[in-house]
């Protein structure tokens, strides 16, 4: 349990991690008896820990009785890669926030949904109140519309078939034909905007980014009375989006 003056350690957790490391050392799998020998654990303890880890998806038991790492561990590893990618670009988003005095947002289109990956705000650049999740507001935000504009026709139609164009403010686009018309009209421009379509008193502008084949959007939000600054922000946004895309590509 650790020395008297040292940290309190949970021995059962240590045994589980040691066993998981042993499982990961055998790409083709290893039987419980071999894993017990390699870790120095009692066979009964090894079986107990393996059953628990199999149940929770961190280890998988093959038909021949051997054990390999499970999909749950792979998902955790993928999450750590995502965190590493975000840590690389967070300073760039902070620079964008400070340069434009506006909260900065990064979203990606993943598993058929538009999801917020990062928000960098501050006392002088507060974020918009996300009172409706981005999954249900793609049609009403610059970030969401930017992603929808970049999708191919099939993916866009699939998204719209699964999401209602909810009326969030009097300015929200709630008719599919009108939304598509505006997306097509904005296709050749570098940026997509929304002025009080998601929240009254707030305007946003966004440009596309990519992480490999994943489409995303980088944007900022401002008070609606600062809309005159949207046009001048486009060049900075485009340049920053290029930097973000390059840095994300280094972490794939």
């Amino acid at each position: 349990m650790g020395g008297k003056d040292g940290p309190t350690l949970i021995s059962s957790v240590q045994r589980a991690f040691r066993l998981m490391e042993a499982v990961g050392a055998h790409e083709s799998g290893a039987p419980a008896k071999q894993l017990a020998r390699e870790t120095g654990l009692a066979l009964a303890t090894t079986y107990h820990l393996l059953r628990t880890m199999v149940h929770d998806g961190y280890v998988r038991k093959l038909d021949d009785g051997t054990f390999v790492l499970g999909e749950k561990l792979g998902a955790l590893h993928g999450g750590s890669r995502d965190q590493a990618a975000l840590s690389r670009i967070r300073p760039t988003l902070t620079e964008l926030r400070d340069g434009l005095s506006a909260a900065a947002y990064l979203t990606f289109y993943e598993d058929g949904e538009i999801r917020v990956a990062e928000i960098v705000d501050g006392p002088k650049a507060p974020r918009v109140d996300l009172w409706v999740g981005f999954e249900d507001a793609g049609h009403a935000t610059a970030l969401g519309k930017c992603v929808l504009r970049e999708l191919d026709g099939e993916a866009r139609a699939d998204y719209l078939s699964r999401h209602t164009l909810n009326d969030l403010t009097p300015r929200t686009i709630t008719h599919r034909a009108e939304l598509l018309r505006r997306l097509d009209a904005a296709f050749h421009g570098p940026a997509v905007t929304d002025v009080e379509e998601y929240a009254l008193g707030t305007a946003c502008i966004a440009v596309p980014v990519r992480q490999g084949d994943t489409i995303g959007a980088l944007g900022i939000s401002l008070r609606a009375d600062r809309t005159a600054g949207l046009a001048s922000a486009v060049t900075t946004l485009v340049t920053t989006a290029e930097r973000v895309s390059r840095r994300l590509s280094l972490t794939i």
Side-chain angles (χ1 to χ4, degrees):
M1 292 292 292
K4 186 175 181 180
D5 297 324
T8 299
L9 304 178
I10 308 301
S11 58
S12 59
V13 176
Q14 290 179 311
R15 288 194 294 267
F17 282 133
R18 193 159 75 244
L19 181 58
M20 194 176 296
E21 290 173 353
V23 172
H26 299 278
E27 186 175 343
S28 301
K33 290 183 179 180
Q34 180 180 351
L35 294 170
R37 288 195 304 270
E38 292 177 355
T39 57
L41 298 174
L43 185 57
T45 299
T46 301
Y47 274 122
H48 178 71
L49 290 173
L50 286 171
R51 280 196 299 270
T52 302
M53 289 190 285
V54 168
H55 178 271
D56 289 343
Y58 293 101
V59 169
R60 184 161 57 96
K61 187 176 183 179
L62 302 180
D63 292 340
D64 61 2
T66 59
F67 295 88
V68 296
L69 294 178
E71 295 180 358
K72 192 75 166 286
L73 198 62
L76 289 177
H77 183 57
S80 69
R81 288 198 306 268
D82 292 341
Q83 290 177 356
L86 290 176
S87 70
R88 288 188 180 221
I89 63 171
R90 199 167 286 117
T92 303
L93 299 183
T94 300
E95 182 181 331
L96 176 66
R97 177 201 64 189
D98 294 343
L100 297 179
S101 298
Y105 307 78
L106 181 66
T107 62
F108 287 108
Y109 189 69
E110 299 173 325
D111 300 323
E113 300 294 344
I114 300 169
R115 298 194 172 104
V116 179
E118 186 65 282
I119 301 176
V120 177
D121 59 354
K124 297 182 179 180
R127 70 180 67 189
V128 64
D129 179 17
L130 302 181
W131 68 285
V132 176
F134 268 62
E135 294 89 343
D136 299 313
H139 64 294
T141 66
L143 291 153
K145 290 190 292 181
C146 185
V147 169
L148 291 175
R149 183 187 69 171
E150 298 300 309
L151 294 177
D152 61 36
E154 183 179 353
R156 187 191 297 173
D158 173 69
Y159 176 89
L160 294 176
S161 71
R162 295 181 286 104
H163 295 80
T164 302
L165 305 186
N166 295 308
D167 185 4
L168 305 183
T169 78
R171 293 176 176 267
T172 306
I173 303 170
T174 57
H175 297 287
R176 177 170 173 165
E178 176 63 12
L179 177 63
L180 292 174
R181 185 188 71 78
R182 295 198 189 186
L183 292 176
D184 290 338
F187 187 77
H188 297 292
V192 178
T193 62
D194 88 72
V195 179
E196 298 187 299
E197 294 174 40
Y198 176 78
L200 293 176
T202 300
C204 301
I205 185 168
V207 297
V209 296
R210 287 186 178 270
Q211 183 176 17
D213 294 330
T214 301
I215 295 171
L218 174 69
I220 60 168
S221 65
L222 301 164
R223 294 195 314 272
D225 60 9
R226 293 180 59 195
T227 53
L230 291 179
S232 61
V234 172
T235 300
T236 300
L237 269 174
V238 170
T239 301
T240 304
E242 292 172 350
R243 291 169 58 195
V244 168
S245 295
R246 284 197 301 270
R247 292 185 179 183
L248 287 172
S249 70
L250 297 175
T251 64
I252 296 175

